[in-house]
Amino acid sequence: MYGKLYSACLYGIDGVLIEVEVDLSGGIPQVNLVGLPDSAVREAVERVRSAIKNCGYTFPLQRVTINLAPADLRKAGSAFDLAIALGLLAASEQIRLPEEERLLILGELSLDGTLRPVPGVLAMVDLAMKQGFTSVLLPIDNAPEAMLLDGIHVYGLRHLKELAPEGIIDKKGTQAPLHLSSLSHLQIHHDHPVTAEEPVLFPPPAEDYSDVLGQQHVKRALTIAAAGMHNIVLIGPPGTGKTMLIRRLPTILPPLSQEEALEVTKIYSSAGKLKGSGGGLMSVRPFRSPHHTISGAGLIGGGSIPKPGEVSLAHHGVLFLDELPEFSRGVLEVLRQPLEERAVSISRSRASFTFPARFLLASSLNPCPCGFFGSEPPLPPCTCSPARIAQYREKISGPLLDRIDMHVEVPRPANWESDVQPLSSAEMRAAIERAEAIQLNRYRNYTFTRNSELSGRMLRKFAPLDAAASRLLEASFETLGLSMRAHDRIIKLARTIADLEGSDRITSAHIAEAIQYRQLDRRRVETV
């Protein structure tokens, strides 16, 4: 007796279709599970055995062979439990699966037959739709996530017994076999599709930039960074508000578009981080702030079957690295590829994986270990030796700083600017949304959407400089000893500044402001 069903597993952040084949033959009762399963998959046999018995079915006392195909792909996770159980019951003629539609089966079984949710359902159901499947059977807790995709019937299952609500079908067929119509009581209807306009994952932020007194030039810099998704680092002594300013970035970022929301939600689903989301698409841009003890694999992703790291979890959002030199140099250096290519490539012996990583890198650092190098009274004097300062700064390499568009100093406010009305998050966000609309319209026929993604021929096409701007940039290039990468990033930054002003042309004033945000380049020249 033989049965074949379809399930799926995660490979990186993408779904992979898996055929679950079950064969029953004569001989000493035993179960052989083949197809490169990992420990969680091997243990599925014991979970399935107990679930079948505790639900009133009979576990076949025969020689059982279960094959997970393709056989050369390593299988991981617990999403095969339900498919294995139904394959055994179908092969032993205790149930008859529906044949009217192609059915994808996902779910983890508890010992009493209760279904538990599995991660990555969005990616696996999306794959099933592309492969021509018309329905999916999965745990009821995963149903809202699967419903984010239209065009597929979703059947939510709480318990294995629900598949045969009128009683268990024995081998003699004394009761009606299970057909698709028998699953109608499990179908979840798309009465109210959840879209990105329904923010259900994160509560509205309580912070606002109006809470921050002074630092108007830093707010201006953060507005530019958010408008063009430019990387930024804030430099200054302790207590000047660097962390507070960056942590308010989500309050000025525009919401995710429908396409971006689906992409980000898919990543979080694959990482198992959608618990408590209410089944909706993520509408708020991610804000990730890992601790400085994070490893390189934790930052960019890794594992025997790689999982997305912090740079991918920050996709279309913000990655905040507080106190940048406290991270190990090796960890910081792995940021080079994702900052340049906006993707992470991880190779293993059997396959290579590519994770998306389009994020805004926001970071902060002190000028020295004690934090007071170059400060003036009433701040205390610096107590660090030149060697210690050099060692502290060496953790951040020149190539990494080159990839950060904006270096902004955050000094201690002198008079708190009490006569100036503080900029609010709403005012900053309104300017950013206007600049974003300009960029989306300008790049509507291209794969990129932000000024920070311009390069090569596209940079020359969309960010031409007039004669005065070109002369100013050329003079600064020689004076500051800029690299070609920094040269191009200044032009991209000037393009965003012009967009914030609603200007089609990039003038010398825009270039001058962009150059002012290369503080570390200027400081390097001054020390020389």
Side-chain angles (χ1 to χ4, degrees):
M1 290 177 283
Y2 171 82
K4 182 171 74 171
L5 302 88
Y6 291 94
S7 187
C9 69
L10 281 176
Y11 215 56
I13 61 171
D14 298 316
V16 177
L17 191 65
I18 302 296
E19 293 183 3
V20 180
E21 299 178 293
V22 178
D23 178 76
L24 304 181
S25 58
I28 299 174
Q30 61 178 341
V31 179
N32 295 314
L33 180 60
V34 297
L36 283 182
D38 73 348
S39 298
V41 181
R42 291 192 194 96
E43 293 168 355
V45 173
E46 300 307 318
R47 292 193 295 271
V48 168
R49 187 195 306 273
S50 297
I52 286 177
K53 290 181 178 179
N54 290 329
C55 289
Y57 297 98
T58 301
F59 192 89
L61 296 177
Q62 297 171 270
R63 185 182 180 90
V64 179
T65 302
I66 303 170
N67 180 42
L68 305 178
D72 60 344
L73 179 71
R74 188 157 189 84
K75 320 302 186 303
S78 56
F80 305 112
D81 289 11
L82 183 58
I84 292 173
L86 296 187
L88 287 168
L89 295 176
S92 58
E93 298 181 353
Q94 297 182 68
I95 65 172
R96 186 174 301 166
L97 291 174
E99 299 176 355
E100 294 91 330
E101 298 189 41
R102 295 188 72 192
L103 180 67
L104 181 74
I105 302 171
L106 305 170
E108 176 186 336
L109 279 169
S110 62
L111 299 186
D112 66 347
T114 304
L115 269 294
R116 290 183 174 140
V118 295
V121 162
L122 191 60
M124 292 186 276
V125 175
D126 184 41
L127 170 75
M129 290 179 59
K130 294 175 181 177
Q131 296 285 342
F133 284 78
T134 55
S135 54
V136 56
L137 178 66
L138 41 63
I140 189 69
D141 291 338
N142 286 132
E145 187 178 338
M147 287 169 57
L148 296 175
L149 301 170
D150 291 323
I152 191 166
H153 299 293
V154 178
Y155 298 101
L157 193 63
R158 288 185 174 85
H159 201 280
L160 194 58
K161 288 181 179 179
E162 294 181 5
L163 287 175
E166 298 180 358
I168 296 172
I169 303 163
D170 60 22
K171 294 184 179 180
K172 298 180 181 178
T174 56
Q175 296 188 22
L178 178 65
H179 288 289
L180 190 61
S181 58
S182 302
L183 297 177
S184 58
H185 66 292
L186 303 174
Q187 185 170 0
I188 310 296
H189 296 281
H190 293 73
D191 296 328
H192 181 55
V194 182
T195 65
E197 285 67 37
E198 300 179 24
V200 293
L201 187 59
F202 300 112
E207 299 86 2
D208 193 280
Y209 274 110
S210 60
D211 303 331
V212 183
L213 300 178
Q215 307 294 14
Q216 300 297 325
H217 73 291
V218 185
K219 294 180 183 180
R220 164 70 174 176
L222 290 169
T223 301
I224 297 170
M229 295 299 282
H230 298 285
N231 304 320
I232 185 170
V233 57
L234 302 186
I235 312 141
T240 55
K242 302 186 296 297
T243 301
M244 179 174 61
L245 284 159
I246 292 178
R247 286 197 175 277
R248 281 165 170 72
L249 264 177
T251 67
I252 63 174
L253 293 174
L256 292 165
S257 67
Q258 186 78 14
E259 182 180 353
E260 290 173 338
L262 188 60
E263 195 172 355
V264 173
T265 306
K266 181 179 175 181
I267 294 172
Y268 273 70
S269 171
S270 303
K273 296 184 179 295
L274 277 185
K275 296 177 181 178
S277 67
L281 288 178
M282 293 177 62
S283 62
V284 178
R285 294 185 182 273
F287 184 90
R288 305 294 300 180
S289 180
H291 193 261
H292 65 262
T293 56
I294 191 172
S295 66
L299 192 60
I300 67 167
S304 56
I305 297 181
K307 299 293 183 183
E310 290 292 333
V311 296
S312 296
L313 294 173
H315 186 52
H316 291 312
V318 178
L319 176 66
F320 177 34
L321 302 183
D322 199 8
E323 299 298 339
L324 199 61
E326 297 300 328
F327 291 80
S328 70
R329 183 184 175 100
V331 169
L332 293 178
E333 289 304 297
V334 301
L335 284 172
R336 289 197 197 181
Q337 183 201 22
L339 286 176
E340 196 71 26
E341 301 180 8
R342 295 175 177 83
V344 173
S345 297
I346 301 175
S347 297
R348 293 292 182 264
S349 58
R350 292 183 177 273
S352 60
F353 303 81
T354 300
F355 299 138
R358 295 187 176 189
F359 59 90
L360 188 163
L361 174 64
S363 54
S364 67
L365 61 89
N366 294 328
C368 66
C370 77
F372 298 106
F373 177 77
S375 62
E376 299 178 355
L379 293 177
C382 176
T383 59
C384 303
S385 65
R388 191 179 176 201
I389 294 175
Q391 183 182 17
Y392 180 76
R393 293 183 179 179
E394 283 175 359
K395 286 191 174 182
I396 309 172
S397 66
L400 179 60
L401 282 177
D402 255 359
R403 289 168 168 81
I404 299 178
D405 304 4
M406 307 178 71
H407 315 150
V408 183
E409 288 193 353
V410 187
R412 181 178 182 271
N415 56 12
W416 301 102
E417 302 180 35
S418 57
D419 57 334
V420 178
Q421 181 66 30
L423 276 174
S424 68
S425 293
E427 294 172 312
M428 297 167 68
R429 185 170 58 250
I432 289 166
E433 288 176 346
R434 289 193 296 269
E436 181 194 40
I438 292 173
Q439 294 172 76
L440 292 176
N441 180 63
R442 180 189 298 133
Y443 308 132
R444 62 186 179 275
N445 297 324
Y446 298 89
T447 56
F448 51 88
T449 59
R450 296 294 190 274
N451 292 330
S452 60
E453 300 176 57
L454 291 173
S455 63
R457 182 169 54 87
M458 293 295 102
L459 181 62
R460 294 190 296 272
K461 177 179 180 180
F462 291 112
L465 307 181
D466 60 23
S470 295
R471 287 195 299 269
L472 177 59
L473 181 57
E474 182 179 352
S476 301
F477 182 80
E478 297 298 332
T479 303
L480 298 179
L482 299 174
S483 67
M484 287 305 299
R485 183 184 288 111
H487 174 276
D488 289 352
R489 288 182 180 272
I490 288 174
I491 297 176
K492 289 186 276 189
L493 201 57
R495 175 71 273 173
T496 300
I497 295 170
D499 288 342
L500 283 168
E501 295 183 0
S503 173
D504 292 332
R505 296 173 58 250
I506 298 176
T507 66
S508 56
H510 302 143
I511 289 292
E513 183 176 359
I515 292 172
Q516 291 299 311
Y517 295 124
R518 302 293 301 187
Q519 291 289 338
L520 293 179
D521 291 327
R522 296 171 60 193
R523 185 176 296 178
R524 181 178 58 199
V525 173
E526 291 168 1
T527 56
V528 173

